[in-house]
Amino acid sequence: MDIPGLPARRAALNLIDAVLRRGETLDQAAGTALARVRGDADRALARAIAGEVLRWRTDLDALIDSATRLPLADDAKARAVLEIMLVQVLRLETPAHAVIATGLPLLMGGPRRLAHGVFSTLTKAEAKLPEVPTLPEDVTERWGERWGDRIGAIAAGLTDLPPLDLALRNADETAEWAERLGGKSLMPGHVRLPRGTAIELLEGFREGAWWVQDLAASLPARLLGAGEGRKVLDLCAAPGGKTMQLAAAGWQVTALDSSKRRLERLGDNLKRTGLEAEIVQADALTWETETRFDAILLDAPCTATGTCRRHPDVLHRIGERQIGEMVELQSAMLERAAAWLAPGGTLVYAVCSLEPEEGEEQAGKVALAPVPIGAAELPEGLAPTAEGWLRTDPAMLAGEGGLDGFFVARWRRN
């Protein structure tokens, strides 16, 4: 029989391995890795351990290397187990005896004495992590070239898990829902809550008064304004946050996505909120339509490096190859989206990426008339760029809990 808590730690080890060795996202790996973990609490623990290891891995490895005479291989199982053990003590405040009891059994047949010795040495020395995570070397080099001195502030934005943002179905009820939920609003139609409450138990969930959506992720749809019955195409729409925003703003929405499973989630979300949209399962690169739309929102597939504060696996999976692949796909989708615009129609392009190749450089190639984003369209504390684009990163609005990294630009077909 397994030691209590051991399945969760084994699952965390498998999650980390899937990210580092196979390049999977934590979400992709979760189905297999968590299959034998019983109970929501243990599944949540496994994900929390894996996420914190990936967030702090550079610093955890530095501690491990400081306590070993000969360095462990980067892919050694003992290193991964020590990362799991240390992060529980240093970030999750798990008692050391519980960490040892559930950590060393992961090395059955392996160097348990070594792991025990390293862990004991570091805990007795009261080893600590730095105040801010150290980014992986390749990320530091890449973002250092792109963002210069700002990289330190971005890293600081990854220190803690982000708060919970809600997008409201009715923006006129912002003050009411902020009071009822005990949250804070940073702009109409938004409420921010501290993490920790089960979403399904929050007031307003069952009646569909709101949905979960990071504040930065809600900004692209807002930039299309009121729909007034006009036609909008939401490309790459699932799981539906932007589709619901557009429907709530009075647009006649066509929501297109290639994933059947994700579109089923979109349909469930529409049903819960009482909003309507035409759902189309298709590949945007091969889909054909005679319809010309008054507006198109292209929240394009991307590396998602802007979501690193909630998905730290991107710090270890994404490199120049993945960025290049996404750039090619985005360029093709932008070209097709522009062709579906009606005269006078508006195109909004967005990516949740911190890579300029996917954002600023893509926008510079679009042959439509720019419609600059205005400061009045954004939450207080954010400002458009000199080009009239929007760039956010995890360091922005730090005093309010931060933001995901996004790039957004807007054009009109004359």
Side-chain angles (χ1 to χ4, degrees), residues 16 41 90 95 111 156 180 198 213 215 247 254 280 302 309 332 338 340 402 410:
I16 294 166
L90 300 177
R180 290 170 68 176
Q213 187 176 31
L215 177 59
T254 298
V280 177
C302 68
R309 64 190 189 133
W340 292 324
R410 181 172 60 186

Side-chain angles (χ1 to χ4, degrees), residues 177-184 191-194:
W177 279 108
E179 181 178 356
R180 290 170 68 176
L181 295 171
K184 179 176 183 178
V191 174
R192 174 163 284 186
L193 304 175

Side-chain angles (χ1 to χ4, degrees), residues 36-69:
R36 296 186 179 182
V37 181
R38 297 180 180 177
D40 292 341
D42 275 358
R43 284 192 285 271
L45 175 60
R47 292 196 64 138
I49 293 171
E52 288 298 280
V53 165
L54 295 170
R55 190 183 305 274
W56 293 90
R57 188 169 188 258
T58 301
D59 301 301
L60 293 167
D61 284 348
L63 289 177
I64 293 167
D65 291 340
S66 73
T68 55
R69 185 171 58 85

Side-chain angles (χ1 to χ4, degrees), residues 238-276:
K242 297 175 181 66
T243 293
M244 291 184 287
Q245 281 184 277
L246 294 167
W251 289 92
Q252 182 181 336
V253 186
T254 298
L256 184 145
D257 200 281
S258 61
S259 170
K260 179 180 178 181
R261 179 180 59 83
R262 286 167 56 84
L263 282 175
E264 289 173 352
R265 287 180 58 196
L266 187 152
D268 291 341
N269 285 327
L270 288 173
K271 183 177 180 180
R272 180 174 65 84
T273 56
L275 297 168
E276 296 183 357

Side-chain angles (χ1 to χ4, degrees), residues 101-116:
T102 55
L104 296 183
L106 297 173
L107 288 170
M108 292 296 292
R112 298 177 64 184
R113 290 181 61 186
L114 170 65
H116 194 180

Side-chain angles (χ1 to χ4, degrees), residues 40 51 85 92 96 103 107 142 244 273 280 294 315 330 360 386 408:
D40 292 341
M85 295 173 69
L92 303 181
L107 288 170
R142 190 173 77 240
M244 291 184 287
T273 56
V280 177
D294 301 300
L315 299 171
Q330 293 152 4
E360 288 83 350
V408 191

